[in-house]
């Protein structure tokens, strides 16, 4: 899944690729910041949207951490 800038729907080139899992896991690779990870949570089948909500609630902190790591 290519994630696009929601304001411009610009997906070329993709900055972030993810694949939300059916049970709420959310693996991602962010090429622009050089960070990758997985949000792992225990959820029922079909709760992939909740995994994305967890990710979106911490994405600012993840990006800030990545900037700090890349500046070293």
């Amino acid at each position: 899944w290519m994630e696009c800038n929601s304001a411009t729907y610009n997906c070329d080139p993709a900055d972030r690729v993810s694949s939300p899992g059916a049970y709420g896991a959310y693996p991602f690779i962010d090429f622009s910041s050089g960070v990758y990870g997985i949000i792992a949570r225990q959820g029922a089948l079909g709760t992939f949207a909740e995994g994305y909500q967890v990710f979106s609630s911490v994405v600012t902190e993840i990006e800030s951490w990545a900037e700090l790591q890349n500046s070293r």
Side-chain angles (χ1 to χ4, degrees), residues 1 19-27 39 41 43-55:
W1 298 91
S19 181
Y23 292 89
Y26 188 81
I39 302 293
R41 55 178 294 279
L45 180 62
T47 61
F48 62 89
E50 293 175 29
Y52 179 77
Q53 288 173 345
V54 172
F55 173 77

Side-chain angles (χ1 to χ4, degrees), residues 1-5 10-11 14-18 26 52 55:
W1 298 91
M2 294 188 312
E3 294 186 21
C4 305
N5 180 320
N10 180 8
C11 290
D15 289 328
R16 185 177 296 139
V17 178
S18 64
Y26 188 81
Y52 179 77
F55 173 77

